[in-house]
Amino acid sequence: MSGVSENRKRKRNEKVAAPEADEEITDISSSEEHVSDGDDVEEELDSEEEFEGENPADKRRRLAKQYLENLKNEANDILTAERTEAEESGAVLDDYNNFDAGDLDKEIISSRLKEDVAEQQGRVFRFIADKIDIDSARTTFTRVGENNLTGLSCYQPQINKFDHNTFGKTNNSKKLYCYTVSKDMTLTKYDITDFNARPKKVKSTKGGKQFIPEGKTEYENTSEGHYGQILAVAASPKGDYVVTGGKDRKLIVWSTESLSPVKVIPTKDRKGEVLALVFRRNSDQLYVACADYKIRTYSISQFSQLETLYGHHDVVVDISALGMERCVTVGSRDRTAMLWKIPDETRLTFRGGEDPERMLKKWLKANAVEKEDGEIEYPDQTEAPLFFGEGSIDVVSMIDDSHFITGSDNGSICLWSLSKKKPLFTERSAHGVMDPPTPEEISGEADKDIRIRQVQDRKLVKPYWITSLYAIPYSNVFISGSWNGSLKVWKLSENLREFELINELPNCRGVVTKIQCVETGKHGRETFRILASVSKEHRLGRWISTANGARNGIYSAVLKTKA
């Protein structure tokens, strides 16, 4: 019996060892021809099989060396470009300009290391406001066939890996894409890689009544198409999925290649309309703001819901997130902004809601003058600026992991910090005020004096709402939009305590529903392309009818950095 068992063991060992012999026979270095480029070599060197036996310390050391090598290559590219420009321009290198390339190389690497550490810690490190050349910006407007665009999202691959000026001349396959959604249930994909051209339409898909589910329960709302207005869209950081949501109370995950539905995830609530979407940077975590006062978190790679967050007392109309596992939401008419620390299961509440009478009293007190006899003289109320009450906070965008900005229906843009529950700085009527109505428009009285009294001086003047905000992540620049005909570019101060207007981007006619920004180019020489979805109506309703010359389309502005 022992001999039989030994034979069985020997046969079993031979069977196990057979695949090793096959692998040796089919080895690349034997008889087959194999041509590999640089990318394949890097994939082989970085494969898990090559470094399977290394310990964690060796792995960290290897990755650190690769990271420094990449920084050195980038620094060498910058130096080569500068020397080439100097030679082409005929500049003569004197003793002052003949710098040491090694010292400059170390300086570039040191600055990049500092910026990477700042990004990991969630602090502002890109002070680019003074470098952007807005005066020479190229603006275009692309008309679209969709009815009333409600959202826009861009896929931004890893920066500093390609240049839009050399697109089409190399074999680089990385491209920039933009996705738009509209009230007529259309999802459209555009190619925006070439900054010198208008967005090029690639594909589109449209919903309709055929996708209305037969079942009456929310769990059965899984038809592979939208049958209600699409109000939000978000492209995944990896570029493989794009997610849409709207009034039909469900999320649809689409493949970016074919725009075919991959997964349908219902919110399972009869009031769970999806109003805003955002992906966490470099992650598959999706944060969803809904009309049932809840914030839902999803893992798109697993197509599953993770958590549900409660706290708002009105519909959650906008949401923003960056690298850390946290997000900021605004609750419309509850006039609050909430920052959610998801791993800690805690939140911070920031309360807005400006009272015009209180602000007027504060202004009168601040501008009062004390006479010689001790009596206080207050200025006339007609000299006071216009103050408007804050009815709702509609938009939000994170600057870094501890600062964010909000926009309201009274035209105010507020800067917030985690260290204070009230705004650090407020810019009132940021996009101006509308023209006041004439006495003939609001009164039918024949007497002119009565008509003038019914105008109530300036009390009927209304500000332009802030309908969209976008802050370039970890930088001191953000853009705001309304329907006054232009986008405004703002600059944060160095201490992040206030901001000021830099310039305006003109010829943006219509209601700006969403703003995004993509960039290309080497470090320190980026080119920014600002994209905005423009509509004839507000994305959540039809309250705005004063946008003269409004059109449905995509507004584009290309901004270069100064040398």
Side-chain angles (χ1 to χ4, degrees):
M1 294 294 292
S2 61
V4 174
S5 61
E6 291 179 357
N7 292 333
R8 290 178 179 175
K9 290 181 180 178
R10 190 179 298 112
K11 292 180 180 180
R12 190 182 300 113
N13 293 333
E14 291 175 356
K15 291 180 180 179
V16 172
E20 296 182 357
D22 293 339
E23 290 179 357
E24 293 177 357
I25 292 173
T26 58
D27 192 4
I28 296 175
S29 61
S30 59
S31 61
E32 294 181 359
E33 293 183 359
H34 179 73
V35 179
S36 62
D37 54 5
D39 295 337
D40 295 334
V41 173
E42 290 180 0
E43 291 178 0
E44 292 175 5
L45 293 177
D46 295 338
S47 63
E48 296 181 359
E49 296 178 357
E50 183 73 18
F51 304 100
E52 185 176 1
E54 66 179 355
N55 55 32
D58 293 337
K59 183 177 181 180
R60 288 194 297 269
R61 189 179 300 108
R62 173 175 58 84
L63 294 177
K65 289 181 179 179
Q66 290 181 357
Y67 175 71
L68 291 174
E69 190 65 27
N70 292 336
L71 291 182
K72 289 181 180 179
N73 294 334
E74 184 177 341
N76 291 331
D77 293 340
I78 295 175
L79 289 174
T80 304
E82 290 180 353
R83 288 186 176 276
T84 303
E85 290 181 0
E87 292 176 358
E88 291 178 354
S89 60
V92 179
L93 293 177
D94 53 11
D95 294 336
Y96 178 77
N97 292 323
N98 193 9
F99 49 81
D100 188 359
D103 293 340
L104 186 58
D105 194 356
K106 293 179 181 178
E107 183 179 349
I108 295 172
I109 294 174
S110 175
S111 64
R112 278 303 304 272
L113 288 172
K114 290 179 181 179
E115 292 182 358
D116 290 344
V117 171
E119 182 176 2
Q120 291 178 1
Q121 295 178 352
R123 294 184 283 109
V124 170
F125 65 91
R126 304 181 66 187
F127 294 95
I128 58 177
D130 297 330
K131 299 179 182 179
I132 297 179
D133 189 5
I134 302 180
D135 296 330
S136 59
R138 301 193 311 270
T139 61
T140 59
F141 190 89
T142 305
R143 298 286 297 271
V144 298
E146 292 80 18
N147 182 22
N148 296 320
L149 298 181
T150 57
L152 174 145
S153 181
C154 298
Y155 164 61
Q156 171 73 71
Q158 188 176 1
I159 62 173
N160 301 332
K161 294 298 182 182
F162 66 99
D163 190 353
H164 71 278
N165 292 320
T166 60
F167 172 69
K169 302 177 183 178
T170 64
N171 294 326
N172 201 329
S173 60
K174 293 187 177 181
K175 294 184 179 181
L176 294 171
Y177 291 106
C178 169
Y179 303 89
T180 62
V181 290
S182 60
K183 288 187 178 181
D184 59 357
M185 300 167 286
T186 303
L187 168 65
T188 310
K189 177 181 179 181
Y190 292 91
D191 185 357
I192 56 172
T193 307
D194 189 1
F195 282 19
N196 299 319
R198 295 173 181 267
K200 181 181 179 181
K201 185 175 180 180
V202 180
K203 290 182 181 179
S204 66
T205 181
K206 189 172 183 179
K209 295 182 179 180
Q210 66 270 23
F211 296 108
I212 298 178
E214 297 179 356
K216 296 183 179 180
T217 62
E218 292 297 331
Y219 289 86
E220 298 175 339
N221 187 13
T222 57
S223 57
E224 294 184 343
H226 285 285
Y227 58 90
Q229 295 179 2
I230 308 177
L231 301 178
V233 60
S236 65
K238 293 183 179 180
D240 48 356
Y241 298 123
V242 58
V243 185
T244 58
K247 288 193 172 182
D248 48 7
R249 305 177 302 282
K250 63 182 177 182
L251 298 173
I252 300 182
V253 183
W254 308 82
S255 170
T256 56
E257 293 293 332
S258 59
L259 288 189
S260 58
V262 178
K263 182 69 175 180
V264 180
I265 308 174
T267 58
K268 303 176 184 177
D269 194 300
R270 61 186 181 87
K271 295 183 180 180
E273 299 177 358
V274 178
L275 301 182
L277 301 170
V278 66
F279 272 97
R280 178 186 165 199
R281 283 171 64 94
N282 303 323
S283 173
D284 69 330
Q285 288 190 11
L286 177 70
Y287 303 138
V288 181
C290 300
D292 57 356
Y293 311 171
K294 302 174 186 176
I295 297 95
R296 294 171 169 84
T297 64
Y298 294 87
S299 174
I300 294 302
S301 62
Q302 301 176 1
F303 302 118
S304 61
Q305 182 175 343
L306 302 179
E307 289 184 85
T308 302
L309 308 176
Y310 303 86
H312 279 290
H313 295 167
D314 200 5
V315 296
V316 188
V317 291
D318 201 10
I319 190 169
S320 180
L322 287 179
M324 294 183 68
E325 199 170 350
R326 58 177 58 175
C327 62
V328 179
T329 58
V330 288
S332 186
R333 301 196 71 84
D334 69 358
R335 291 173 290 186
T336 61
M338 293 188 180
L339 184 135
W340 306 83
K341 299 180 179 179
I342 297 175
D344 302 335
E345 297 183 353
T346 59
R347 74 170 188 265
L348 298 176
T349 303
F350 305 86
R351 301 192 181 278
E354 294 180 334
D355 185 6
E357 294 183 0
R358 186 183 304 171
M359 290 187 292
L360 178 60
K361 292 180 180 179
K362 188 176 180 180
W363 183 87
L364 293 174
K365 186 177 181 180
N367 292 271
V369 178
E370 186 176 358
K371 295 182 178 180
E372 295 180 356
D373 56 356
E375 184 180 356
I376 298 177
E377 181 181 2
Y378 292 94
D380 190 0
Q381 293 188 7
T382 57
E383 300 176 0
L386 291 173
F387 297 106
F388 303 99
E390 188 175 49
S392 66
I393 303 178
D394 297 330
V395 289
V396 64
S397 182
M398 292 190 74
I399 299 171
D400 60 12
D401 291 322
S402 58
H403 294 83
F404 62 93
I405 48 176
T406 59
S408 308
D409 64 346
N410 64 343
S412 296
I413 301 177
C414 299
L415 173 64
W416 305 78
S417 172
L418 301 191
S419 60
K420 191 176 180 181
K421 291 299 183 72
K422 289 294 182 180
L424 298 177
F425 184 79
T426 301
E427 180 70 24
R428 296 182 176 89
S429 302
H431 279 257
V433 296
M434 306 179 198
D435 296 332
T438 61
E440 290 76 13
E441 291 177 347
I442 63 172
S443 177
E445 295 290 342
D447 191 350
K448 182 178 179 180
D449 295 335
I450 298 177
R451 292 200 304 267
I452 293 176
R453 286 199 301 269
Q454 289 180 347
V455 175
Q456 305 178 37
D457 196 12
R458 297 182 298 170
K459 293 183 179 180
L460 297 182
V461 175
K462 297 180 181 179
Y464 285 102
W465 304 355
I466 305 300
T467 58
S468 183
L469 280 175
Y470 180 80
I472 299 177
Y474 305 110
S475 75
N476 61 339
V477 175
F478 68 90
I479 305 103
S480 64
S482 185
W483 68 91
N484 64 323
S486 64
L487 298 181
K488 292 196 174 185
V489 185
W490 306 82
K491 170 190 173 182
L492 287 165
S493 61
E494 292 185 2
N495 57 1
L496 302 181
R497 304 284 295 182
E498 58 184 7
F499 57 87
E500 62 181 357
L501 179 66
I502 303 177
N503 210 329
E504 297 186 12
L505 299 173
N507 302 324
C508 183
R509 299 187 183 94
V511 182
V512 180
T513 57
K514 194 68 175 179
I515 302 174
Q516 291 278 285
C517 180
V518 294
E519 57 186 277
T520 65
K522 293 294 183 181
H523 173 68
R525 297 187 176 186
E526 298 90 346
T527 300
F528 299 90
R529 184 171 192 173
I530 299 172
L531 296 166
S533 58
V534 183
S535 174
K536 294 183 179 180
E537 301 175 356
H538 192 277
R539 73 183 188 97
L540 298 179
R542 305 183 68 179
W543 309 293
I544 299 173
S545 59
T546 58
N548 295 326
R551 297 174 293 176
N552 298 318
I554 300 174
Y555 179 83
S556 173
V558 179
L559 309 178
K560 293 185 177 180
T561 53
K562 301 176 184 178

